Structure formats: C-alpha cells, structure tokens
Amino acid sequence: MVGTALLALMGLRYPVKMIPLLLFELFWKSIWLLAVGLPRILAGSLDEGTITDLIACLMGVILVPLALPWRYVLHQYWQTPGDPWKTPVKAHGPASSKT
C-alpha cells in the first residue's frame, strides 16, 4: 500500500517517466485476465478471491489506457529508433596524415 502511494506521488512529479510502469501494468493485467480469469469464468469456477482479482485487473485494463498519452507512446516507443547496444570503439594512436 505504501509502495503504491509512493509510485502515485512519483507519477504526479514525473508523469512521462512512469509510462513504462503503466505499460507493464497494462500488459501483465491483460495476460492475467486471458490466462487465469477467462478460463475460470468459462469453467464457472470463480471463488471470492478470484472475483476480487478479476475486478482489480479489469479496472486496470480499462483505466490505464485512458490515462496513457498514446500519441507520445507510439512515437517514443514504436517509431523512434533505439539506442545502439554497443558504441563503436574509436581507434587510439597517431592520427593518420595525408601525404
């Protein structure tokens, strides 16, 4: 509970830096709904704890997309090329001279 409150305060201070966390939240809740929630709904084996988790994940899957600035997310994480994994090594030694 304290961790969630601290992350919420950080989101108010640094909203753009929290976008990866919101995307992670959206993806894991979607996966949980598809892998755990949906099969239990179809089997009719929902207990009280699963219903509580199901409602919490549904709220996340519904509310997080409403809070995300999708134009920025698509530009920043999809269209912008990534940084190279390895920077080229500059050769050391005497500079080459033209003769």
Side-chain angles (χ1 to χ4, degrees):
M1 183 180 220
V2 174
T4 304
L6 290 174
L7 287 174
L9 290 174
M10 284 180 60
L12 290 174
R13 177 80 169 119
Y14 307 104
V16 174
K17 290 183 179 182
M18 298 302 283
I19 289 175
L21 186 62
L22 287 174
L23 289 172
F24 175 74
E25 181 102 1
L26 177 65
F27 291 135
W28 83 258
K29 286 186 177 188
S30 299
I31 290 169
W32 188 92
L33 285 170
L34 292 173
V36 177
L38 185 62
R40 289 198 179 187
I41 289 172
L42 295 176
S45 63
L46 290 173
D47 58 353
E48 189 175 326
T50 307
I51 291 172
T52 304
D53 292 341
L54 183 71
I55 292 171
C57 286
L58 276 173
M59 293 301 290
V61 169
I62 292 169
L63 295 177
V64 168
L66 295 175
L68 284 172
W70 285 105
R71 183 178 290 170
Y72 177 83
V73 169
L74 290 175
H75 174 73
Q76 189 68 26
Y77 298 108
W78 188 258
Q79 295 173 346
T80 304
D83 294 333
W85 286 24
K86 193 173 187 182
T87 57
V89 177
K90 294 182 181 178
H92 296 290
S96 62
S97 60
K98 293 183 181 178
T99 55

